[in-house]
Amino acid sequence: MPDAPRPVTMDKIVSLCKRRGFVFPGSEIYGGLANAWDYGPMGVELKRNVKEAWWRDVVRRREDVVGLEAAIMMNPAVWEASGHLAGFTDPLVECRACHHRFRADHVESSTCPDCGGELGDARQFNLMLKTFLGPVEDTASAVYMRPETAQGMFVNFLNVQTATRKKLPFGIAQIGKSFRNEITPGNFIFRTREFEQMEMEFFVQPGEDDEWHDYWIRERLDWYVRHGVREENLRLRPHDADELSHYSKATTDIEYLFPWGWAEMEGIANRTDFDLRQHSQHSGARLSYFDNDTNEHVTPYVIEPASGVDRAALAFLVDAYDEEEVGGEAAGAGAGETRVVLRLHPRIAPVQAAVLPLSRNARLTPLARDLFAGLVDDGRWRVEYDDAQSIGRRYRRFDEVGAPLCITVDFQSLDDNQVTIRDRDTLLQERVGIPDLSSALADRLG
Ligand code: ATP
């Protein structure tokens, strides 16, 4: 546990997200749609960075993982075979008095958390959202919005293997939207009915699955730490036998200490050969791997790291949130004022460097604009230009969106061809020659 109480609360995160353009309530001008959220200019960058960091480490940097983008709507036979039609359910209980509904495994007693009334018996509720394709709403045209991206990888196992000639072990990864008719969505973007997943199915020789499971648990935990999440706010939680999904032999969750407590951010499951076998049986296609060494067909086992983009984004925001009492020009705050700052990792931060001319001025503006254009053309950085309001207010804004660096162009810059780099975390200000700016940024942003 952290030594000092963390300054972060969900109210502060939700309000910062609205104020600075990370996340807005969905369809707000129509009164909203419960638990639907829209990502604003900062949020979309943050989310994109989370996905890019994942794709970079899980796909691009590895020779044993390839990417895929499957359609969201799949043949309904997929969900029959995968067991989701029969088994992708949560236990639902309803209060006999106020009729509010809860997930039975989320309530602690048989009394209603809202009104204290008596809760009825649990019944299984299927989480898949259904819709109809074409003009006729009959059973023949019913399809499901995928509740996980994983099945896209399983049904394309042969296509990918044939196209890439990958040898075991190898993985297929995908990022995309999934949908679940959650009984109790909530906690901001933590649990919604429409969300985005980053999933990878890693196919291994049966017998090597336990080892690879351990490998991916470590690798995924490290990934969050490498991207700045504090270790003390992360923990691993192996599932008890009675909570395992219908396809899983073993699952370990990576949990994050959110303001309301520990909760799952990612699950790493050993899905065995369940899915490939089911699809082989149901489709008639032989979803196996021919092992040239033994001249035998094997049905690979699958290790699946499955994470949520929205949950990861929320964890990054919560973990980065800080407040400190500082005063002075560099802080952009008066003495004794509170500075709110997101200490986001440079790879995750929506803006990496802000170019700030001290004021709008016929001599400063062209220099600052030039410098900005040069950094944009460089292509390595996410840069913003801002010349509105006082410099202090601008520092505050860029602290609140987590920009690691501000580059200030002042009147002295006109004479000495230098600018000031202000560090978000240390508040140190350093003069750097404009020709050296690119390498100064590379040193600081990694
Ligand atoms: P929970 O127990 O919280 O309902 P789960 O165990 O059903 O989650 P998985 O099926 O393991 O979740 O899905 C993998 C990941 O997808 C989760 O770790 C989470 O990050 C994300 N995810 C799942 N459901 C949602 C949701 N309703 N909203 C946002 N993200 C979700």
Side-chain angles (χ1 to χ4, degrees):
M1 291 287 288
D3 301 328
R6 298 154 83 194
V8 66
T9 64
M10 281 312 288
D11 283 350
K12 289 181 189 174
I13 290 289
V14 175
S15 124
L16 174 82
C17 281
K18 174 95 199 272
R19 188 167 76 244
R20 292 302 186 191
F22 282 95
V23 183
F24 305 127
S27 322
E28 192 180 12
I29 60 166
Y30 286 101
L33 172 71
N35 302 291
W37 300 97
D38 295 341
Y39 286 84
M42 288 298 141
V44 71
E45 292 291 339
L46 174 81
K47 232 179 135 192
R48 185 171 291 204
N49 299 339
V50 170
K51 290 186 273 186
E52 274 177 11
W54 187 90
W55 196 259
R56 173 179 185 259
D57 286 354
V58 177
V59 184
R60 292 241 169 93
R61 294 179 118 183
R62 302 187 62 105
E63 287 176 33
D64 54 1
V65 180
V66 293
L68 179 83
E69 190 170 311
I72 288 176
M73 285 176 283
M74 307 178 79
N75 188 315
V78 168
W79 307 111
E80 176 82 49
S82 68
H84 282 79
L85 267 176
F88 194 61
T89 54
D90 274 341
L92 179 149
V93 284
E94 186 171 329
C95 172
R96 294 192 207 279
C98 71
H99 299 289
H100 287 179
R101 290 168 174 173
F102 306 92
R103 236 171 89 169
D105 55 334
H106 283 180
V107 286
E108 270 156 23
S109 67
S110 57
T111 50
C112 172
D114 287 350
C115 78
E118 188 196 345
L119 294 175
D121 294 334
R123 64 185 169 89
Q124 291 302 322
F125 174 76
N126 196 296
L127 297 180
M128 283 202 292
L129 281 153
K130 202 186 210 173
T131 188
F132 300 92
L133 290 184
V136 191
E137 289 196 9
D138 60 16
T139 45
S141 62
V143 292
Y144 298 92
M145 311 288 280
R146 66 180 178 201
E148 59 171 24
T149 66
Q151 297 305 322
M153 274 77 96
F154 295 127
V155 302
N156 279 293
F157 173 77
L158 278 187
N159 284 336
V160 173
Q161 209 274 326
T162 311
T164 63
R165 298 264 142 233
K166 287 279 173 204
K167 301 238 177 311
L168 291 185
F170 75 92
I172 311 178
Q174 156 161 238
I175 299 179
K177 290 262 179 162
S178 291
F179 302 81
R180 295 183 188 177
N181 203 4
E182 297 278 358
I183 298 166
T184 42
N187 284 328
F188 195 33
I189 52 174
F190 178 82
R191 187 183 303 284
T192 49
R193 295 192 170 113
E194 171 183 344
F195 56 97
E196 207 164 0
Q197 290 186 306
M198 310 182 280
E199 295 193 300
M200 198 270 288
E201 310 305 316
F202 198 71
F203 300 95
V204 304
Q205 288 280 2
E208 295 177 4
D209 50 312
D210 291 338
E211 216 176 296
W212 279 109
H213 193 202
D214 290 344
Y215 168 88
W216 279 108
I217 293 169
R218 278 197 313 275
E219 176 57 30
R220 292 302 306 144
L221 183 66
D222 281 356
W223 185 86
Y224 291 101
V225 177
R226 284 205 301 277
H227 289 88
V229 179
R230 277 168 283 184
E231 265 180 283
E232 71 254 30
N233 294 332
L234 289 165
R235 73 174 187 194
L236 296 174
R237 193 184 67 84
H239 281 204
D240 292 333
D242 62 356
E243 59 173 323
L244 288 174
S245 308
H246 62 274
Y247 49 71
S248 171
K249 165 179 155 185
T251 297
T252 291
D253 287 344
I254 298 178
E255 295 190 334
Y256 179 76
L257 186 53
F258 288 98
W260 66 88
W262 290 99
E264 169 180 344
M265 198 164 46
E266 167 159 357
I268 298 114
N270 181 340
R271 290 182 82 130
T272 70
D273 55 2
F274 177 85
D275 300 271
L276 290 182
R277 278 197 191 283
Q278 287 292 108
H279 287 304
S280 296
Q281 273 168 23
H282 283 248
S283 69
R286 188 182 196 177
L287 301 185
S288 61
Y289 171 85
F290 185 71
D291 189 334
N292 281 319
D293 296 337
T294 57
N295 276 339
E296 277 177 11
H297 283 276
V298 289
T299 304
Y301 267 45
V302 176
I303 306 303
E304 175 196 73
S307 57
V309 183
D310 314 81
R311 283 191 193 178
L314 182 59
F316 281 119
L317 283 171
V318 166
D319 211 67
Y321 185 94
D322 200 8
E323 290 172 0
E324 63 180 5
E325 263 188 34
V326 278
E329 188 207 53
E337 272 187 320
T338 300
R339 173 173 92 113
V340 172
V341 52
L342 289 186
R343 303 193 192 276
L344 289 168
H345 187 282
R347 202 171 292 143
I348 301 296
V351 178
Q352 293 177 305
V355 176
L356 312 175
L358 200 58
S359 60
R360 262 182 217 161
N361 171 283
R363 291 169 67 218
L364 280 190
T365 300
L367 178 64
R369 284 249 171 242
D370 251 25
L371 199 137
F372 172 69
L375 293 175
V376 171
D377 284 349
D378 184 309
R380 279 179 291 173
W381 325 114
R382 293 182 293 280
V383 226
E384 244 191 49
Y385 183 90
D386 188 0
D387 63 1
Q389 302 183 314
S390 73
I391 193 75
R393 275 174 179 258
R394 282 181 274 161
Y395 284 156
R396 249 172 290 165
R397 166 164 180 256
F398 285 104
D399 281 344
E400 288 199 3
V401 301
L405 304 175
C406 286
I407 302 164
T408 316
V409 184
D410 57 20
F411 289 98
Q412 206 185 322
S413 309
L414 296 167
D415 298 329
D416 65 5
N417 208 29
Q418 293 187 340
V419 289
T420 304
I421 297 187
R422 169 204 185 255
D423 183 288
R424 173 196 71 197
D425 297 328
T426 62
L427 293 180
L428 287 178
Q429 310 202 57
E430 263 181 87
R431 294 292 284 177
V432 174
I434 291 177
D436 303 327
L437 192 57
S438 213
S439 68
L441 258 54
D443 287 349
R444 289 163 175 81
L445 298 172

